[in-house]
Amino acid sequence: MALTKDDIINAVSDMTVMEVVELIEAMEEKFGVSAAAAVVAGPGGGEAAVEEEQTEFDLVLTGAGDKKVNVIKAVREITGLGLKEAKGAVDGAPATIKEAMSKEDAEAAKTKLEEAGASVELK
C-alpha cells in the first residue's frame, strides 16, 4: 500500500524534534542530497539543483527487423506474454514492451531484442 503525503505528514507530526532531525539525515544519506541545498535552490531550483539519475526505464520496440519470429520469442521471454499478445506488440511497433524496469534489466532486455534483430530504445 502506497503512503500518501498526508500519511507522511501525520507520521512526522507525531515525532519528536530529534526523530525528525534523524529522519532528515537518513533521507539526505539515502538520496545523496542536502536539505540545506534544497532550501537554497527552492522549488524548480533550475540549473543549480542536483539532477536526479533515472532509475526506471521503459523498453520501447521501434522496429521488428527481418527476423520477426525471433523478436516475438524474445518479447515473450522478457514479458511473459502469450504468443498472440507478443505478436501484436511486435506488429504494433513502435510499442512499449515493458515499463519501469531497472537499468540492468532494461539493458539486458535491450541486448536480447537487438540480438534477435529488433530495433530498441530505452526511455
Side-chain angles (χ1 to χ4, degrees), residues 11 20 40 57 67 78 82 94 102 109:
V20 172
V40 171
F57 296 86
K67 300 177 181 178
I78 293 165
S102 70

Side-chain angles (χ1 to χ4, degrees), residues 10-43:
N10 289 333
V12 171
S13 68
D14 294 336
M15 293 179 166
T16 66
V17 173
M18 286 306 298
E19 290 172 324
V20 172
V21 169
E22 291 172 357
L23 174 65
I24 291 170
E25 290 173 353
M27 291 172 64
E28 287 175 338
E29 183 177 322
K30 168 83 175 167
F31 299 110
V33 296
S34 167
V39 170
V40 171

Side-chain angles (χ1 to χ4, degrees), residues 40-56:
V40 171
E47 297 173 352
V50 176
E51 192 172 316
E52 291 185 29
E53 183 178 337
Q54 186 175 352
T55 58
E56 292 185 341

Side-chain angles (χ1 to χ4, degrees), residues 25-104:
E25 290 173 353
M27 291 172 64
E28 287 175 338
E29 183 177 322
K30 168 83 175 167
F31 299 110
V33 296
S34 167
V39 170
V40 171
E47 297 173 352
V50 176
E51 192 172 316
E52 291 185 29
E53 183 178 337
Q54 186 175 352
T55 58
E56 292 185 341
F57 296 86
D58 294 343
L59 182 66
V60 180
L61 178 69
T62 57
D66 295 335
K67 300 177 181 178
K68 191 170 164 181
V69 172
N70 292 339
V71 175
I72 292 170
K73 288 179 183 178
V75 168
R76 289 187 68 200
E77 186 177 330
I78 293 165
T79 62
L81 292 173
L83 180 60
K84 183 177 180 180
E85 292 84 5
K87 183 180 183 307
V90 172
D91 287 341
T96 302
I97 300 300
K98 196 165 183 183
E99 297 178 335
M101 299 176 74
S102 70
K103 184 174 184 174
E104 296 81 24

